[in-house]
Amino acid sequence: MTTCIIADDELHLSRYLADQLKAAWPELEILATAANGVEADALIAQHQPDLAFLDIQMPGHTGLEVAQAIEGHTQVVFVTAYDEYAVQAFEDGAIDYLLKPVTTERLDKCVARLRERFAQAAPAQAGSTAPALPDLAAALHKLLQSGAVPGLAPQFLRYVRAHERGAQGEQVLQIDVDEVLYFEAADKYTCVMLASGEKLLRTSIAELEAELDPSLFKRIHRSTLVNLRHVHATRRDDTGRMWVRIKQQVRELPVSRAYHQVFGRM
């Protein structure tokens, strides 16, 4: 049985959607409803539902922020009051949505699409070649970076997760990107350089660059991405080569000639 939660700060709307879903999809089990984004976070973590119907504008956390924090298999349907032109961005990102006020016709189409996706995903999980469910993280990134939806500014990466093995086993560290001095490519991994030491990410530096705020994180070499907040100084040696000094670091980082313009005004 497919399970879901509903999150909307307007109680009458969440009840209305629940009633519509029961009629359109009798087999769907509605586990709980949330009145804000914080409750939605907790319910998704607790129940790990197959689906979450998330209102975009909610107190606490927006529906987009809730979706970005999902780590399990939960797929998302956004419930939005944006007009038909604006929601083209959701369609381009392959993200399911319902437009307020939710009509029976639109809900039926959404339910049919979701049922088909889950039906296709089931054999894939059993080992066949059927397509898997869409990548929510990738779709959200595309949507947020497009800036195509009114009121949604491009969202950049705020935290990176580093894996560290200790006496009690492997743990995942949540690192605020503001604390990162610089990133440096290391084979298939990326080193995160902090004032407190070095951590490893299982993400390429190219993938990180695409998700970080480009006004703050600048590439200075094909293998190095620096946080401009932590740049202390630059210098040129006798050969004209440029170097960057990072705060709280003795080591200087070389700047490839192609990236000299990054510090042209410093």
Side-chain angles (χ1 to χ4, degrees), residues 3 8-9 29 32 36 72 81 89 91 125 131 134 162 172 197 199 233 246:
T3 59
D8 196 313
D9 60 318
E29 182 181 2
N36 55 59
E91 294 179 344
Q125 293 169 354
V172 180
K199 307 296 180 186
I246 302 295

PDB file of all heavy atoms in Angstrom, residues 3 8-9 29 32 36 72 81 89 91 125 131 134 162 172 197 199 233 246:
ATOM      1  N   THR A   3       1.769   5.040   0.903  1.00  0.00           N
ATOM      2  CA  THR A   3       1.481   5.887   2.064  1.00  0.00           C
ATOM      3  C   THR A   3       1.859   7.336   1.777  1.00  0.00           C
ATOM      4  O   THR A   3       2.717   7.617   0.929  1.00  0.00           O
ATOM      5  CB  THR A   3       2.247   5.400   3.296  1.00  0.00           C
ATOM      6  OG1 THR A   3       3.656   5.425   3.011  1.00  0.00           O
ATOM      7  CG2 THR A   3       1.831   3.989   3.678  1.00  0.00           C
ATOM      8  N   ASP A   8       0.081  21.384   5.173  1.00  0.00           N
ATOM      9  CA  ASP A   8      -0.485  22.673   4.753  1.00  0.00           C
ATOM     10  C   ASP A   8      -0.869  23.429   6.012  1.00  0.00           C
ATOM     11  O   ASP A   8      -1.473  22.853   6.923  1.00  0.00           O
ATOM     12  CB  ASP A   8      -1.713  22.463   3.859  1.00  0.00           C
ATOM     13  CG  ASP A   8      -2.101  23.721   3.088  1.00  0.00           C
ATOM     14  OD1 ASP A   8      -2.152  24.802   3.712  1.00  0.00           O
ATOM     15  OD2 ASP A   8      -2.354  23.620   1.875  1.00  0.00           O
ATOM     16  N   ASP A   9      -0.494  24.717   6.079  1.00  0.00           N
ATOM     17  CA  ASP A   9      -0.791  25.477   7.286  1.00  0.00           C
ATOM     18  C   ASP A   9      -2.260  25.901   7.363  1.00  0.00           C
ATOM     19  O   ASP A   9      -2.704  26.405   8.392  1.00  0.00           O
ATOM     20  CB  ASP A   9       0.120  26.704   7.392  1.00  0.00           C
ATOM     21  CG  ASP A   9      -0.029  27.647   6.221  1.00  0.00           C
ATOM     22  OD1 ASP A   9      -0.114  27.162   5.079  1.00  0.00           O
ATOM     23  OD2 ASP A   9      -0.043  28.875   6.434  1.00  0.00           O
ATOM     24  N   GLU A  29      -2.883   5.392   1.700  1.00  0.00           N
ATOM     25  CA  GLU A  29      -3.048   5.541   3.154  1.00  0.00           C
ATOM     26  C   GLU A  29      -2.452   6.868   3.603  1.00  0.00           C
ATOM     27  O   GLU A  29      -1.251   7.106   3.471  1.00  0.00           O
ATOM     28  CB  GLU A  29      -2.367   4.403   3.901  1.00  0.00           C
ATOM     29  CG  GLU A  29      -2.549   4.493   5.415  1.00  0.00           C
ATOM     30  CD  GLU A  29      -1.849   3.387   6.175  1.00  0.00           C
ATOM     31  OE1 GLU A  29      -1.183   2.546   5.532  1.00  0.00           O
ATOM     32  OE2 GLU A  29      -1.957   3.367   7.421  1.00  0.00           O
ATOM     33  N   ALA A  32      -0.681  10.988   8.219  1.00  0.00           N
ATOM     34  CA  ALA A  32      -0.768  12.122   9.142  1.00  0.00           C
ATOM     35  C   ALA A  32      -0.815  13.410   8.338  1.00  0.00           C
ATOM     36  O   ALA A  32      -0.532  13.427   7.136  1.00  0.00           O
ATOM     37  CB  ALA A  32       0.444  12.135  10.082  1.00  0.00           C
ATOM     38  N   ASN A  36       2.725  22.788   9.558  1.00  0.00           N
ATOM     39  CA  ASN A  36       3.850  23.661   9.202  1.00  0.00           C
ATOM     40  C   ASN A  36       5.022  22.808   8.742  1.00  0.00           C
ATOM     41  O   ASN A  36       4.985  21.570   8.820  1.00  0.00           O
ATOM     42  CB  ASN A  36       4.252  24.559  10.386  1.00  0.00           C
ATOM     43  CG  ASN A  36       4.565  23.755  11.639  1.00  0.00           C
ATOM     44  OD1 ASN A  36       5.455  22.911  11.647  1.00  0.00           O
ATOM     45  ND2 ASN A  36       3.800  24.005  12.704  1.00  0.00           N
ATOM     46  N   GLY A  72      15.275  10.000   2.731  1.00  0.00           N
ATOM     47  CA  GLY A  72      14.785   8.665   2.395  1.00  0.00           C
ATOM     48  C   GLY A  72      14.227   8.599   0.987  1.00  0.00           C
ATOM     49  O   GLY A  72      14.601   9.359   0.105  1.00  0.00           O
ATOM     50  N   ALA A  81       0.029  27.874  -5.131  1.00  0.00           N
ATOM     51  CA  ALA A  81      -0.961  28.837  -5.610  1.00  0.00           C
ATOM     52  C   ALA A  81      -0.431  29.620  -6.808  1.00  0.00           C
ATOM     53  O   ALA A  81      -1.082  30.550  -7.268  1.00  0.00           O
ATOM     54  CB  ALA A  81      -1.323  29.800  -4.484  1.00  0.00           C
ATOM     55  N   ALA A  89       7.897  25.796 -14.628  1.00  0.00           N
ATOM     56  CA  ALA A  89       9.214  25.468 -14.060  1.00  0.00           C
ATOM     57  C   ALA A  89       9.180  24.141 -13.318  1.00  0.00           C
ATOM     58  O   ALA A  89      10.150  23.386 -13.329  1.00  0.00           O
ATOM     59  CB  ALA A  89       9.674  26.579 -13.120  1.00  0.00           C
ATOM     60  N   GLU A  91       7.162  21.654 -14.110  1.00  0.00           N
ATOM     61  CA  GLU A  91       7.074  20.624 -15.145  1.00  0.00           C
ATOM     62  C   GLU A  91       8.423  20.394 -15.801  1.00  0.00           C
ATOM     63  O   GLU A  91       8.812  19.259 -16.086  1.00  0.00           O
ATOM     64  CB  GLU A  91       6.023  21.035 -16.182  1.00  0.00           C
ATOM     65  CG  GLU A  91       4.613  21.075 -15.616  1.00  0.00           C
ATOM     66  CD  GLU A  91       3.571  21.500 -16.633  1.00  0.00           C
ATOM     67  OE1 GLU A  91       3.968  22.056 -17.677  1.00  0.00           O
ATOM     68  OE2 GLU A  91       2.382  21.273 -16.394  1.00  0.00           O
ATOM     69  N   GLN A 125      13.047  -2.174  -8.619  1.00  0.00           N
ATOM     70  CA  GLN A 125      13.606  -2.536  -7.315  1.00  0.00           C
ATOM     71  C   GLN A 125      13.797  -4.041  -7.192  1.00  0.00           C
ATOM     72  O   GLN A 125      14.605  -4.515  -6.415  1.00  0.00           O
ATOM     73  CB  GLN A 125      12.672  -2.021  -6.212  1.00  0.00           C
ATOM     74  CG  GLN A 125      12.628  -0.506  -6.130  1.00  0.00           C
ATOM     75  CD  GLN A 125      11.525   0.007  -5.231  1.00  0.00           C
ATOM     76  OE1 GLN A 125      10.706  -0.766  -4.737  1.00  0.00           O
ATOM     77  NE2 GLN A 125      11.486   1.308  -5.019  1.00  0.00           N
ATOM     78  N   PRO A 131      12.246   1.804 -15.227  1.00  0.00           N
ATOM     79  CA  PRO A 131      12.820   3.040 -14.706  1.00  0.00           C
ATOM     80  C   PRO A 131      12.518   3.244 -13.237  1.00  0.00           C
ATOM     81  O   PRO A 131      11.458   2.868 -12.749  1.00  0.00           O
ATOM     82  CB  PRO A 131      12.134   4.127 -15.556  1.00  0.00           C
ATOM     83  CG  PRO A 131      10.860   3.493 -16.019  1.00  0.00           C
ATOM     84  CD  PRO A 131      11.182   2.036 -16.201  1.00  0.00           C
ATOM     85  N   PRO A 134      11.908   9.408 -10.128  1.00  0.00           N
ATOM     86  CA  PRO A 134      12.781  10.533 -10.462  1.00  0.00           C
ATOM     87  C   PRO A 134      13.637  10.962  -9.281  1.00  0.00           C
ATOM     88  O   PRO A 134      13.266  10.775  -8.125  1.00  0.00           O
ATOM     89  CB  PRO A 134      11.789  11.640 -10.867  1.00  0.00           C
ATOM     90  CG  PRO A 134      10.495  11.246 -10.242  1.00  0.00           C
ATOM     91  CD  PRO A 134      10.487   9.749 -10.226  1.00  0.00           C
ATOM     92  N   ALA A 162      30.237  15.304   5.370  1.00  0.00           N
ATOM     93  CA  ALA A 162      31.488  14.566   5.296  1.00  0.00           C
ATOM     94  C   ALA A 162      31.375  13.297   6.124  1.00  0.00           C
ATOM     95  O   ALA A 162      30.781  13.289   7.216  1.00  0.00           O
ATOM     96  CB  ALA A 162      32.645  15.428   5.806  1.00  0.00           C
ATOM     97  N   VAL A 172      28.354  10.799  10.027  1.00  0.00           N
ATOM     98  CA  VAL A 172      28.228  11.816   8.990  1.00  0.00           C
ATOM     99  C   VAL A 172      28.226  13.181   9.648  1.00  0.00           C
ATOM    100  O   VAL A 172      27.388  13.466  10.517  1.00  0.00           O
ATOM    101  CB  VAL A 172      26.936  11.615   8.166  1.00  0.00           C
ATOM    102  CG1 VAL A 172      26.826  12.690   7.090  1.00  0.00           C
ATOM    103  CG2 VAL A 172      26.924  10.236   7.530  1.00  0.00           C
ATOM    104  N   GLY A 197      40.746  21.457  10.701  1.00  0.00           N
ATOM    105  CA  GLY A 197      41.365  20.311  10.043  1.00  0.00           C
ATOM    106  C   GLY A 197      40.716  19.986   8.713  1.00  0.00           C
ATOM    107  O   GLY A 197      39.991  20.802   8.133  1.00  0.00           O
ATOM    108  N   LYS A 199      38.491  17.305   6.137  1.00  0.00           N
ATOM    109  CA  LYS A 199      37.490  16.251   6.034  1.00  0.00           C
ATOM    110  C   LYS A 199      37.370  15.846   4.566  1.00  0.00           C
ATOM    111  O   LYS A 199      37.797  16.564   3.672  1.00  0.00           O
ATOM    112  CB  LYS A 199      36.122  16.719   6.554  1.00  0.00           C
ATOM    113  CG  LYS A 199      36.149  17.315   7.959  1.00  0.00           C
ATOM    114  CD  LYS A 199      36.563  16.295   9.006  1.00  0.00           C
ATOM    115  CE  LYS A 199      36.581  16.927  10.389  1.00  0.00           C
ATOM    116  NZ  LYS A 199      37.111  15.992  11.420  1.00  0.00           N
ATOM    117  N   ALA A 233      44.866  37.350   1.671  1.00  0.00           N
ATOM    118  CA  ALA A 233      45.675  38.192   0.784  1.00  0.00           C
ATOM    119  C   ALA A 233      46.052  37.418  -0.475  1.00  0.00           C
ATOM    120  O   ALA A 233      45.928  36.188  -0.526  1.00  0.00           O
ATOM    121  CB  ALA A 233      46.948  38.654   1.508  1.00  0.00           C
ATOM    122  N   ILE A 246      45.113  32.024   2.695  1.00  0.00           N
ATOM    123  CA  ILE A 246      43.844  31.819   3.377  1.00  0.00           C
ATOM    124  C   ILE A 246      44.018  32.108   4.863  1.00  0.00           C
ATOM    125  O   ILE A 246      45.035  31.748   5.461  1.00  0.00           O
ATOM    126  CB  ILE A 246      43.345  30.370   3.184  1.00  0.00           C
ATOM    127  CG1 ILE A 246      43.201  30.046   1.685  1.00  0.00           C
ATOM    128  CG2 ILE A 246      42.014  30.152   3.905  1.00  0.00           C
ATOM    129  CD1 ILE A 246      42.152  30.842   0.960  1.00  0.00           C
TER     130      ILE A 246
END
